[in-house]
Amino acid sequence: DQQVKQNSPSLSVQEGRISILNCDYTNSMFDYFLWYKKYPAEGPTFLISISSIKDKNEDGRFTVFLNKSAKHLSLHIVPSQPGDSAVYFCAAIPSGTYKYIFGTGTRLKVLA
Amino acid sequence: GAGVSQSPSNKVTEKGKDVELRCDPISGHTALYWYRQSLGQGLEFLIYFQGNSAPDKSGLPSDRFSAERTGGSVSTLTIQRTQQEDSAVYLCASSLDYGALGGTQYFGPGTRLLVL
C-alpha cells in the first residue's frame, strides 16, 4: 500500500519556466513533509521541507505547498534551470515517528 | 568526514552468497538509517539506529537481513544467502538526532547490489 504517491514518473520543462512536481498521500497522520533531489549515482539530497501546520514554505527558487484537505503536496521551481534536472522524491513522516516514507520519484528534465 | 560514505559503491555477487555493506555516517550524528531502492520503486525503510541500538527493525524484509552499529559510528548491513530480489541500491542516511524534527537525514551515495 503506497502511502505516498508521485503519479508522474517524468516531467519535461523548458529552462526559465516553472516546474511543478506533485505528491499525494493517504495518511492524515503525516505531520512533516520533505522533498529530496537525487542525481544519478548520488544519494538523495535534502531540498526543502514543510510542517503540517503550514501551507507554504519558500526557499529561493523552491516553494513547497501543502494542501491538507486534499492530502496533496507540490514543489514549485521557478525559474527552472538545466541543473535542476534530477529525480525528485517527496517524503512524509508520520506523527510521533522518525520514519521517512518516500514516494517513487519524478524525473525532471529541464530543457535548455 | 564531510558527508555520509558507503562502501562498496557497487557489488556483484552470486545467489546464495553473503554480502556486507558498510556505512560511515557524518561525524557526530547519533541516528543512522538504512533504506533500499529497488528498480522503479521509492526508498524503502529497512532499519534505524539510535547510537548502537536498533529500536526498529520492522523494515528488514527477512531474517536474512541484519545490521549492526559499533561505537555509535560505522554501521554494517549484512545480507545472508542473497537472492536475486535483493538486487537494489542500498542507501544509508544519518541525522544529528532522533525524531522527525531531530534533524534532516543526509544520505550517502548508496551501494548498488546486483545478485546474479
Side-chain angles (χ1 to χ4, degrees):
Chain A
D1 179 30
Q2 193 75 24
Q3 295 187 63
V4 178
K5 300 176 185 178
Q6 293 178 256
N7 293 317
S8 298
S10 64
L11 175 68
S12 291
V13 172
Q14 284 295 130
E15 180 179 7
R17 298 288 188 98
I18 184 171
S19 294
I20 300 176
L21 297 119
N22 294 304
C23 181
D24 295 294
Y25 60 95
T26 58
N27 188 341
S28 59
M29 297 303 291
F30 289 143
D31 64 6
Y32 207 71
F33 302 88
L34 309 95
W35 283 95
Y36 276 77
K37 178 170 74 173
K38 186 180 185 302
Y39 293 117
E42 294 183 12
T45 55
F46 171 73
L47 201 54
I48 194 169
S49 64
I50 188 168
S51 164
S52 62
I53 62 173
K54 295 186 174 181
D55 54 21
K56 178 182 175 181
N57 188 26
E58 190 172 354
D59 183 2
R61 296 186 298 113
F62 303 91
T63 303
V64 56
F65 294 92
L66 177 62
N67 182 335
K68 287 194 293 282
S69 60
K71 296 191 177 66
H72 181 79
L73 186 73
S74 64
L75 174 68
H76 291 208
I77 306 173
V78 183
S80 301
Q81 299 173 353
D84 296 329
S85 298
V87 177
Y88 289 78
F89 291 96
C90 65
I93 306 177
S95 177
T97 79
Y98 47 82
K99 287 182 184 180
Y100 284 25
I101 299 177
F102 283 90
T104 52
T106 296
R107 183 179 301 277
L108 173 66
K109 187 170 185 179
V110 180
L111 306 169
Chain B
V4 178
S5 60
Q6 292 185 246
S7 61
S9 53
N10 291 281
K11 176 72 177 179
V12 181
T13 191
E14 292 178 349
K15 177 181 171 181
K17 296 283 182 74
D18 298 350
V19 294
E20 281 190 356
L21 312 179
R22 176 189 167 107
C23 173
D24 274 281
I26 293 172
S27 178
H29 279 195
T30 60
L32 186 148
Y33 312 79
W34 282 98
Y35 295 85
R36 77 173 174 183
Q37 184 182 15
S38 303
L39 192 64
Q41 301 296 313
L43 280 74
E44 173 191 3
F45 170 82
L46 297 179
I47 188 171
Y48 151 77
F49 286 92
Q50 178 64 14
N52 291 335
S53 65
D56 187 348
K57 304 179 184 179
S58 63
L60 295 177
S62 77
D63 58 7
R64 297 186 294 105
F65 287 72
S66 62
E68 64 175 16
R69 188 179 185 195
T70 55
S73 181
V74 172
S75 176
T76 302
L77 177 69
T78 302
I79 310 172
Q80 296 179 310
R81 304 181 303 282
T82 52
Q83 303 294 312
Q84 288 179 332
E85 61 263 28
D86 300 334
S87 298
V89 177
Y90 289 82
L91 290 153
C92 174
S94 69
S95 64
L96 191 61
D97 205 346
Y98 164 82
L101 302 181
T104 301
Q105 293 185 20
Y106 295 88
F107 284 82
T111 294
R112 188 177 300 273
L113 174 67
L114 178 62
V115 181
L116 300 176

